[in-house]
Amino acid sequence: MDFLYIVILSFVSIAVLFILTKLSGSRQISEMSFFDYVIGITIGSIAAEMATNIDLEWWKGITAMTIYALTGILLSFISQKSISARKFISGQPIILIEKGKILRKNLFKAKIEINDLLTSARNNGYFNLADIEYAIMETTGKISFMPIAQKRQLTPKDFNFAPMADGLYINVIIDGKIIKKDLKNARITENELKAQLKDRGVKAENILLATIDNKKHLTIFEK
């Protein structure tokens, strides 16, 4: 009997957790504030306790999960409406490097060591801090880097060149199946697609993925 009760509570807690997560939004972990992360862990812990503790009345667990989720949603709404509240709840970005100079007091404020800064710089492709003009720790804990002018990547604008827009690449074949509903968005008929496949000597069933751009250029990845 206890086993069946735990099974039922597990499915109930998963369903409630799924609904609350959808209501809270679909931000990635890297985009969450510290408070969002704590609320997420707490709700998950309550769900696990609810599923395994047969002495805990099910409505108490659901109530606690709902309160935590609604608190997160309310704080997110307040942050969107008020800049001062956003600064208080989520914090503010911290400048770690300014005009090539490491701001030691801001490293202490951000609670990171110089080795953490070096690691983040290497992860972003900068192996020499002298190549960095600005480094900013975002409210999510991620560090953004702005290279010095001599180290930034060149763009077509630097060459006074304006490339044609590629537009979106639309998936027209996935795992050997033609996605007919997307052919209209790709502005190509099924017969035109099959004609291109015939010219390339490839059958649809042998294709893992096929995409098409706004110029009707087909890119094929075979199985």
Side-chain angles (χ1 to χ4, degrees), residues 206-211 219-223:
N206 296 327
I207 296 175
L208 179 63
L209 174 67
T211 62
T219 303
I220 295 175
F221 300 89
E222 296 188 42
K223 292 182 180 179

Side-chain angles (χ1 to χ4, degrees), residues 168-215:
L168 293 176
Y169 283 80
I170 299 175
N171 302 326
V172 290
I173 299 178
I174 297 178
D175 201 17
K177 296 181 180 179
I178 297 176
I179 312 301
K180 296 183 179 180
K181 64 179 182 179
D182 288 335
L183 292 178
K184 184 178 180 180
N185 294 329
R187 292 181 299 177
I188 187 174
T189 66
E190 187 173 351
N191 290 333
E192 288 177 321
L193 175 61
K194 289 180 177 179
Q196 285 203 43
L197 294 179
K198 185 177 180 180
D199 291 339
R200 304 270 285 269
V202 182
K203 294 183 179 180
E205 55 266 27
N206 296 327
I207 296 175
L208 179 63
L209 174 67
T211 62
I212 196 165
D213 61 15
N214 59 357
K215 298 178 183 177

Side-chain angles (χ1 to χ4, degrees), residues 39-56:
I39 286 182
I41 291 178
T42 305
I43 292 177
S45 299
I46 295 173
E49 179 72 12
M50 174 183 162
T52 57
N53 187 353
I54 59 176
D55 296 325
L56 178 66

Side-chain angles (χ1 to χ4, degrees), residues 26-43:
S26 56
R27 286 183 293 176
Q28 297 179 3
I29 292 177
S30 61
E31 298 172 340
M32 289 183 175
S33 67
F34 178 76
F35 193 76
D36 293 330
Y37 183 66
V38 170
I39 286 182
I41 291 178
T42 305
I43 292 177

Side-chain angles (χ1 to χ4, degrees), residues 109-129:
K109 183 179 179 180
K111 296 180 177 59
I112 67 170
E113 299 179 355
I114 187 66
N115 287 333
D116 299 323
L117 180 61
L118 289 168
T119 300
S120 294
R122 288 194 296 268
N123 287 337
N124 283 271
Y126 302 105
F127 288 80
N128 185 358
L129 291 186

Side-chain angles (χ1 to χ4, degrees), residues 154-170:
L154 295 176
T155 65
K157 187 177 179 180
D158 295 317
F159 300 97
N160 293 321
F161 172 67
M164 296 291 292
D166 288 333
L168 293 176
Y169 283 80
I170 299 175

